[in-house]
Amino acid sequence: MAPTKISRRDMLKALGLASAGAALAACGTTPTVPTTSATQAPVAAGEAPAPTTAPAAADAGKKYKILHWAQGPEPTDPNAVLEAGQTRRVAYQLIADQYMKEHPDVEIEWYRFPAGSNVQEWLLARMTAQDAPDIYWANTEDLWPHINKNWALDFTEYMNMPNPYVSGNTAWKDQFQDVAIFSQTGPDGKLYGVNMDGAGVLIVYNQQAFTEAGIESVPKTWTEFIDAQKKLQAKGYIPFGANLNPDTCCYPHWAMAHLYNQLTYNTILTIDDDKNQVITAKEVAQHAQKGDALDWDAYLKVAHLLKEWSQFFPVGYEGTTDYRQLFRQGKVAMYMEGNWAISEFQSSPTPFEINWTAFPVITKDIWPQSTENVVRIQGAWGGMQYHVPGYLKEKEPDKIPIIMDWLMFSSKPENVTNCLKETSMVSLTKGAEAVPELAPFNQPYDRAVPYQSWQTLSSSGLQAEYKLWQAYLPSSMSDQEFIDKAKKDFDAEVQKVLEANPDWKV
Amino acid sequence: MSSTSLRVPGETAQSVIRSRRRFRLGDDWKIALLLAILGFLTFVPVLLLLGLSFKDQQQMADAMWLPSWPLHLRNYVKAARVIRPYLMNSVVFVLGTVSISIVCSTLSAYALGRYDFPGREFFYIAILALLMIPGILTLITTFVVTVKLGLNNTLFGIWLPLAAGAQAFQIIVLRTFFASLPNELFEAARIDGARELTMLWRIALPLAKPIVSTLVVLQILAVWNEFIWPIMVLSDPQRYPVILGILRLTQLITERDPGAQFAGYVLAGLPLLILFAFTSRTFIRGLTSGAIKF
Amino acid sequence: MATLTVRAARPEQRSLRRTARRVRKFWFCYVMMLGTFSLLLTFSYYPAVSAIYHSFTIWDGFRPARWVGLQNYREVFTSEVIFRKAFRNMGLLVLWDVVRAATFPLLGAALIYRLRNEKLAYVFRLVFVLPIVVPAVVGVLVWKQLYDPNVGLMNEILKIVGIKPIAWLSSPSTALPSLMLAGFPWIDGVAMLIYLAGLLAIPSEVIEAAIMDGAGSIRRFFSMEIPLIIPQIRLIVILNVIGSLQSFGWQLLVTRGGPNNATTVPAWEMYQSAISSGRFGVASAVGVVLFILIFTLTLINRAAIRSNVEYQA
């Protein structure tokens, strides 16, 4: 039945069509602005917040609707039915209501990020279709790829304007702490977003487990730390929850950040070319070409320390063990967590008491060059890292000042404080206060880590470094093999970054 | 021309079943036992899913895999509440995609299978080649086309590309079927002056009912479970199909609940189960009509 | 007397005229295919050609594409991860998929075929086909839970028997075999029914003759039933090859290609290059290589799996 031979003429016809198609494809590669067609689509129960006053249709001719993905402080869906003990988030809704009262021509609607979606995939689709929310959240290390693709709008002009809602303010950017400004600065020096809050990382532990295992005082140095884990293991606990899965946040690069920055405390800032106390992708890429981006001896030491540590990880840590679930079940004794979990622990508490402690210090007996300083991951990875899609500049330029005005209103210190009360994030807005439960995160430290592991380069770099640990930790790789592989993988990642940014080549 | 000389696919199967009692094929019970064991093993994941769907967090922590009492029906209540808004979306997606797809593929398969027109081989090869193109290769570029046509976040943006993707398989199967229909059936009608489309409608389609039903059921299953394409095309999460609505039970702090998530999957499969209950005879008949081969 | 010289038309002219006549005769065929081909041209062919074009460029989806010729292909073929690990994993998985698809459902079909009681046969047909109602996603997630090294059922069973827990999907050495093991006993209902259809189509005279010749059940299976359902086997094999070469569901939902590239496949590398790294050129190059592979395997499939006893139903 089915033909077994294709005649030569048919083949030529097919090739002809293919090349014609190729020529066509070569012409149209950039998506043009689509016109949205109105089609009947079933709409579920509306989620628009109830405005406190009806919009005064008389005066303001145009009505602006701002779709805002609030992420961290996102108000709870009014239709959501909560379990016992869960609290409804309303802070940002109240702020929005007040804003809409003062500006009847603006409507703020909350974009509900599709659960289960990957932010990168979602962003790619939405930016291609140009139907993203007007304000979206994205983590600071993804900034340069977003700038390249025009996903992030330039905020500089607005950052230099005074914030009308904050008395005495002459430039919006003065409201925020330095690290917030640096994390929104692109390789070209311009500002591409606003960061109102930040995050810190500590080790959270099961107090009951520690007491049972006979650990009297919380470990402060690495040696004490290993010791404590041995005691926990003897008691039948899994001492430390970790996995090497890039989708689980965020053990490998947090551990790497702490360890590497401690070991290279005196030298890490030599590659900080622009002296802003933060190592950027551009700096890493440029120094990598000169060969001095990473201190490979320190890197090897980090590898050894991680390997020593890995004996205390759960079975299957190379894959996707859910250590957070195991912690709640009382099986895992401690793990590294960000301060956003405080509000989670409040709304659904564990059956045992928990506490927070700082990452252990590497002492001179382990690494002779150690300065024994305390480093902390503290920076702009908060729930209020807001960006605006770049395409709005062409598509809806008159909406941009409205969006910026709303963001300026949001960043009033009292407004940020109210949001922080619910999210328990660290404040990066001057004058805004964090919740008292964040006290452990306010303990003094010497330096916030400037270098975040290969993640600094790109998200692909992050994946590559995770794979390096997947290869090294469970294996019996020799030191030389490890360093060779690490250097090779690192170079490949640098090449990818240079491919995307040819102007970073030296 | 007597009708007994006409061999329609599936006809032989029926006669074999009737005459099977004459064979001595060994004791049924041994075979049935083996099949029962294999069937049970095949069903184990479904049973486990059901078991997990009735547990709460504490039961999962204590004994995850053994059935535990009391059965927490509230998982199902919660899951139903969360996914209900999305059910209609899935239904609409399925109806539109399957209608467009089956109509187009039946017409094309009939043309390709029964008429020797110029370019027939070429078109068939072109369609075969489509099956071999990895879906992920064209994911982004298809999305760009969809956006350029202004179909993002619309129903047609869901219907048309999914219908396009189903054409190749459906045409291949239907073409084989239509080509295997004996010419005599059509000759008689043609002598009587029937037009081509009438013959398709009155002769070929009724015979094709089992196989078309099979293809329809298979496509309903595929569209109901499709999640990659809707996530890209739809920017409004309220328009999501059920399969994505369930993800709310895995992520949102207020709604994260593994037991309810599994309950949600069971509920999402229920409409399919009901569909299957009504169509299983035809579906199985369509698959066993012997027309599906390469 | 005037002679009429009829100049014979040249062969090409003759066939062109003939073709034109046939086009006019079958005009309605082209109309009938209009729906399909407008769909396919827009959403299948154009995107495919565009993707193939972009495999020769560096493109992030937003900035203009830069032509780089075969650079992406060179990267694919020299990359340790993509070329060696991913293709090797895929080769093993596809091989296993083919063996699995050609054996277990066939076994189930042969067993049902031999049942005398018709009601029982119908029940079992239903039993094996019912699980397709459960979405594939769910199946993967249930198996993910089963494989969990700390709370999964597989390790619970091992604990009871007294064997040390295995890391299943979480260890590079056991991840790929775990992938292959999932789905036991691998009797896909649809494939089974297709095989059963082929078996039922064997005319009763042939069976009777074999039985009278004294051929036992097993002998009949190997020398008669299998050769006679070669077209069905071929279809299932090729569909599984095509599906298997493209699938990355497990990687997307569970393993993310790890641990340490133990479960990565070219389709997954393609997805990662496009979504996570924004390198559509490289992603398209991998896709084109896959396409050529599938095409070649399809041709081999048709040529290699043959039978002398192929029966035209």
Side-chain angles (χ1 to χ4, degrees):
Chain A
M1 253 342 136
T4 45
K5 276 205 285 232
I6 309 171
S7 75
R8 203 161 359 140
R9 253 196 300 164
D10 287 331
M11 194 52 127
L12 286 173
K13 277 189 260 173
L15 279 172
L17 268 181
S19 25
L24 267 176
C27 304
T29 47
T30 45
T32 51
V33 177
T35 51
T36 45
S37 58
T39 325
Q40 290 312 303
V43 177
E47 295 174 313
T52 44
T53 50
D59 49 35
K62 201 160 176 194
K63 178 100 180 168
Y64 292 99
K65 183 155 118 171
I66 298 181
L67 201 54
H68 185 161
W69 176 24
Q71 218 261 7
E74 185 177 306
T76 312
D77 189 339
N79 296 324
V81 172
L82 297 177
E83 310 277 311
Q86 286 181 325
T87 43
R88 193 169 283 273
R89 287 202 181 161
V90 294
Y92 217 179
Q93 181 64 67
L94 294 172
I95 297 169
D97 286 344
Q98 194 188 353
Y99 185 81
M100 287 191 282
K101 194 152 77 170
E102 293 178 22
H103 300 86
D105 57 334
V106 178
E107 190 189 323
I108 313 271
E109 192 180 308
W110 306 113
Y111 179 80
R112 307 283 170 186
F113 186 80
S117 270
N118 177 298
V119 178
Q120 291 302 321
E121 296 162 15
W122 174 84
L123 264 178
L124 179 65
R126 303 285 55 86
M127 290 300 173
T128 306
Q130 298 196 350
D131 55 13
D134 301 305
I135 305 173
Y136 70 93
W137 175 94
N139 239 339
T140 144
E141 42 270 348
D142 299 323
L143 203 56
W144 70 257
H146 292 186
I147 298 172
N148 280 348
K149 297 188 252 203
N150 194 31
W151 290 2
L153 187 72
D154 186 357
F155 269 50
T156 321
E157 179 192 346
Y158 294 93
M159 277 290 172
N160 288 328
M161 286 185 197
N163 183 344
Y165 301 104
V166 177
S167 61
N169 174 272
T170 48
W172 191 17
K173 64 181 180 208
D174 291 340
Q175 262 192 275
F176 306 103
Q177 293 178 8
D178 288 342
V179 67
I181 299 298
F182 293 143
S183 59
Q184 294 292 22
T185 310
D188 53 3
K190 300 195 194 143
L191 294 167
Y192 286 93
V194 59
N195 276 356
M196 304 185 205
D197 65 355
V201 174
L202 288 177
I203 296 179
V204 63
Y205 63 93
N206 179 341
Q207 181 66 68
Q208 194 180 318
F210 269 41
T211 322
E212 266 182 44
I215 302 169
E216 293 116 16
S217 58
V218 169
K220 292 263 175 292
T221 67
W222 182 261
T223 329
E224 291 170 10
F225 188 60
I226 296 289
D227 215 49
Q229 288 179 94
K230 287 199 182 119
K231 288 194 180 129
L232 287 163
Q233 200 171 49
K235 248 320 177 169
Y237 288 98
I238 302 173
F240 201 87
N243 72 28
L244 301 179
N245 178 15
D247 279 346
T248 315
C249 174
C250 303
Y251 171 75
H253 69 266
W254 280 350
M256 157 62 102
H258 275 116
L259 292 170
Y260 185 79
N261 280 284
Q262 279 194 50
L263 299 180
T264 58
Y265 195 85
N266 277 336
T267 53
I268 185 80
L269 289 177
T270 52
I271 67 171
D272 180 18
D273 296 328
D274 53 11
K275 298 285 168 255
N276 61 359
Q277 310 295 311
V278 171
I279 311 284
T280 61
K282 186 174 179 182
E283 286 160 356
V284 174
Q286 291 188 322
H287 279 271
Q289 294 171 73
K290 299 180 197 152
D292 63 348
L294 289 180
D295 178 347
W296 293 107
D297 291 327
Y299 204 81
L300 183 62
K301 185 64 183 169
V302 170
H304 288 167
L305 291 171
L306 286 177
K307 196 157 203 176
E308 184 190 4
W309 200 354
S310 66
Q311 58 180 302
F312 303 115
F313 294 162
V315 175
Y317 71 87
E318 312 92 309
T320 62
T321 329
D322 187 352
Y323 54 82
R324 287 184 171 86
Q325 194 188 20
L326 291 173
F327 179 78
R328 279 180 174 274
Q329 291 171 353
K331 299 192 175 122
V332 159
M334 56 176 160
Y335 70 98
M336 285 180 83
E337 183 64 286
N339 58 319
W340 54 80
I342 288 182
S343 63
E344 281 179 35
F345 283 126
Q346 277 176 337
S347 61
S348 59
T350 51
F352 46 82
E353 191 193 330
I354 59 168
N355 224 325
W356 300 81
T357 180
F359 195 90
V361 172
I362 307 285
T363 44
K364 284 195 166 59
D365 51 315
I366 299 180
W367 178 253
Q369 305 97 302
S370 170
T371 54
E372 301 193 3
N373 285 104
V374 177
V375 300
R376 180 78 56 78
I377 295 180
Q378 193 105 338
W381 300 281
M384 295 171 90
Q385 300 179 70
Y386 295 135
H387 307 255
V388 173
Y391 61 76
L392 276 188
K393 196 150 183 207
E394 278 91 36
K395 204 167 164 196
E396 290 179 84
D398 47 333
K399 203 175 189 182
I400 296 178
I402 317 281
I403 296 176
M404 295 296 173
D405 191 69
W406 157 241
L407 285 173
M408 284 185 181
F409 185 80
S410 298
S411 65
K412 271 169 67 167
E414 52 268 34
N415 286 342
V416 177
T417 304
N418 287 336
C419 286
L420 292 182
K421 282 201 190 119
E422 286 181 341
T423 62
S424 67
M425 297 305 266
V426 169
S427 167
L428 290 181
T429 310
K430 295 178 187 164
E433 285 162 28
V435 295
E437 287 85 346
L438 274 180
F441 291 85
N442 292 329
Q443 279 166 18
Y445 54 89
D446 297 319
R447 181 192 284 170
V449 298
Y451 171 73
Q452 269 287 311
S453 80
W454 294 5
Q455 184 190 214
T456 311
L457 268 179
S458 63
S459 59
S460 161
L462 177 86
Q463 310 253 352
E465 199 176 34
Y466 275 51
K467 284 194 198 168
L468 180 67
W469 299 127
Q470 286 171 1
Y472 174 70
L473 286 179
S475 77
S476 49
M477 239 189 213
S478 74
D479 286 352
Q480 192 53 52
E481 283 174 335
F482 169 73
I483 285 294
D484 287 339
K485 179 170 166 59
K487 283 186 180 165
K488 196 168 90 155
D489 291 349
F490 183 67
D491 273 330
E493 291 306 315
V494 171
Q495 287 312 311
K496 285 185 196 166
V497 170
L498 291 176
E499 173 190 284
N501 297 291
D503 48 321
W504 291 3
K505 294 195 180 139
V506 284
Chain B
M1 201 168 300
S2 91
S3 57
T4 50
S5 62
L6 296 177
R7 297 302 218 92
V8 175
E11 192 195 298
T12 326
Q14 302 302 317
S15 63
V16 167
I17 292 173
R18 263 176 258 123
S19 58
R20 243 208 304 217
R21 286 191 211 101
R22 289 163 34 199
F23 304 149
R24 295 195 174 280
L25 297 172
D27 293 343
D28 259 9
W29 72 268
K30 277 188 250 168
I31 301 175
L33 183 62
L34 190 53
L35 280 171
I37 296 176
L38 289 173
F40 175 71
L41 288 173
T42 309
F43 250 87
V44 159
V46 180
L47 296 172
L48 290 174
L49 178 66
L50 281 174
L52 287 171
S53 67
F54 285 107
K55 291 178 191 279
D56 69 358
Q57 298 264 32
Q58 197 51 46
Q59 285 170 329
M60 282 211 197
D62 297 333
M64 195 157 188
W65 300 104
L66 299 170
S68 40
W69 273 261
L71 295 176
H72 286 267
L73 270 176
R74 44 171 288 285
N75 282 353
Y76 277 87
V77 172
K78 182 169 178 181
R81 184 178 31 88
V82 168
I83 68 175
R84 195 163 58 86
Y86 303 101
L87 272 174
M88 203 52 201
N89 295 344
S90 286
V91 171
V92 172
F93 290 170
V94 163
L95 286 177
T97 311
V98 175
S99 328
I100 297 176
S101 182
I102 291 287
V103 166
C104 288
S105 55
T106 313
L107 286 172
S108 298
Y110 185 71
L112 285 169
R114 295 222 56 86
Y115 300 102
D116 185 16
F117 59 91
R120 168 208 221 197
E121 305 280 285
F122 167 68
F123 285 124
Y124 187 62
I125 304 264
I127 292 176
L128 263 186
L130 278 180
L131 261 189
M132 306 182 209
I133 298 178
I136 177 74
L137 173 66
T138 50
L139 187 64
I140 302 291
T141 40
T142 312
F143 184 59
V144 170
V145 169
T146 311
V147 166
K148 273 200 229 183
L149 290 173
L151 295 178
N152 52 309
N153 206 34
T154 64
L155 276 179
F156 278 100
I158 298 280
W159 289 341
L160 298 181
L162 289 182
Q167 293 295 290
F169 178 69
Q170 289 176 349
I171 290 180
I172 289 174
V173 168
L174 285 173
R175 190 198 102 130
T176 317
F177 176 79
F178 285 134
S180 69
L181 293 177
N183 282 325
E184 297 84 17
L185 284 174
F186 296 90
E187 285 307 320
R190 205 170 275 133
I191 290 173
D192 285 345
R195 312 186 62 223
E196 308 298 329
L197 266 179
T198 325
M199 292 201 287
L200 165 65
W201 183 252
R202 287 183 182 280
I203 304 180
L205 274 184
L207 288 171
K209 218 164 66 104
I211 194 100
V212 168
S213 311
T214 307
L215 290 175
V216 164
V217 170
L218 284 175
Q219 194 175 13
I220 293 179
L221 285 172
V223 175
W224 191 266
N225 297 330
E226 170 73 37
F227 64 95
I228 295 187
W229 187 249
I231 258 193
M232 293 191 85
V233 171
L234 301 171
S235 60
D236 184 359
Q238 287 174 11
R239 299 185 182 185
Y240 275 12
V242 148
I243 191 99
L244 291 176
I246 298 177
L247 292 175
R248 295 180 66 134
L249 292 161
T250 63
Q251 294 294 320
L252 304 184
I253 304 289
T254 48
E255 292 166 0
R256 184 163 53 192
D257 188 338
Q261 178 194 355
F262 292 118
Y265 280 124
V266 173
L267 286 177
L270 268 185
L272 298 177
L273 196 62
I274 296 172
L275 167 81
F276 210 70
F278 285 115
T279 60
S280 61
R281 276 223 115 85
T282 331
F283 180 69
I284 293 177
R285 239 183 80 209
L287 281 178
T288 51
S289 62
I292 307 186
K293 55 178 187 263
F294 192 45
Chain C
M1 193 146 62
T3 32
L4 279 173
T5 323
V6 175
R7 187 170 308 143
R10 289 201 304 274
E12 308 86 64
Q13 281 182 334
R14 238 196 325 225
S15 81
L16 259 164
R17 261 208 301 257
R18 224 191 333 228
T19 314
R21 244 201 320 243
R22 280 169 65 218
V23 167
R24 257 174 308 180
K25 176 174 174 201
F26 290 112
W27 65 274
F28 57 91
C29 290
Y30 301 102
V31 173
M32 284 168 90
M33 294 202 303
L34 211 55
T36 298
F37 274 93
S38 29
L39 276 179
L40 291 180
L41 271 170
T42 327
F43 297 105
S44 302
Y45 289 116
Y46 174 74
V49 171
S50 170
I52 295 176
Y53 163 74
H54 282 109
S55 71
F56 298 102
T57 68
I58 290 182
W59 188 44
D60 62 3
F62 292 86
R63 291 185 288 182
R66 301 194 324 251
W67 182 268
V68 290
L70 290 175
Q71 181 185 308
N72 292 331
Y73 290 95
R74 232 175 291 140
E75 180 177 333
V76 168
F77 284 111
T78 57
S79 151
E80 200 209 297
V81 169
I82 302 181
F83 192 55
R84 260 167 260 157
K85 274 274 178 59
F87 275 94
R88 175 185 161 272
N89 288 346
M90 181 187 74
L92 288 172
L93 284 171
V94 169
L95 208 62
W96 168 240
D97 267 348
V98 166
V99 165
R100 188 176 72 177
T103 341
F104 295 95
L106 188 53
L107 185 70
L111 285 173
I112 296 187
Y113 182 55
R114 279 159 172 68
L115 281 177
R116 288 172 61 188
N117 184 333
E118 245 205 73
K119 281 214 181 62
L120 214 53
Y122 182 71
V123 163
F124 278 118
R125 281 154 143 184
L126 201 57
V127 158
F128 285 104
V129 97
L130 215 46
I132 62 175
V133 158
V134 176
V137 174
V138 178
V140 170
L141 290 175
V142 170
W143 274 94
K144 173 185 175 183
Q145 286 288 87
L146 288 175
Y147 276 142
D148 190 303
N150 292 292
V151 296
L153 184 59
M154 306 295 276
N155 273 351
E156 295 284 317
I157 296 178
L158 289 183
K159 225 192 290 180
I160 297 176
V161 182
I163 309 178
K164 238 180 69 152
I166 304 180
W168 300 106
L169 290 172
S170 296
S171 162
S173 48
T174 56
L176 200 61
S178 304
L179 265 191
M180 295 196 212
L181 186 65
F184 184 81
W186 309 298
I187 298 188
D188 167 38
V190 174
M192 191 195 74
L193 288 180
I194 293 180
Y195 288 140
L196 186 59
L199 288 173
L200 291 173
I202 303 177
S204 39
E205 306 90 52
V206 181
I207 309 263
E208 278 184 63
I211 293 183
M212 289 207 289
D213 279 348
S217 190
I218 305 211
R219 171 109 186 284
R220 279 204 313 275
F221 180 64
F222 283 105
S223 24
M224 216 174 55
E225 287 165 17
I226 291 189
L228 286 176
I229 60 169
I230 285 287
Q232 279 79 5
I233 299 183
R234 237 196 337 239
L235 173 75
I236 301 288
V237 164
I238 198 56
L239 284 181
N240 265 282
V241 165
I242 292 178
S244 192
L245 277 164
Q246 300 180 34
S247 84
F248 61 99
W250 273 92
Q251 287 77 5
L252 179 63
L253 295 167
V254 184
T255 71
R256 312 297 286 185
N260 189 26
N261 295 323
T263 57
T264 187
V265 289
W268 172 246
E269 291 296 325
M270 222 161 60
Y271 185 80
Q272 282 291 78
S273 294
I275 307 288
S276 161
S277 311
R279 305 173 77 212
F280 294 140
V282 173
S284 302
V286 178
V288 169
V289 172
L290 271 184
F291 168 56
I292 296 177
L293 202 60
I294 297 177
F295 188 74
T296 319
L297 286 174
T298 314
L299 290 179
I300 295 180
N301 180 47
R302 275 209 56 91
I305 307 181
R306 281 199 179 292
S307 151
N308 300 331
V309 211
E310 201 165 321
Y311 183 80
Q312 302 294 328

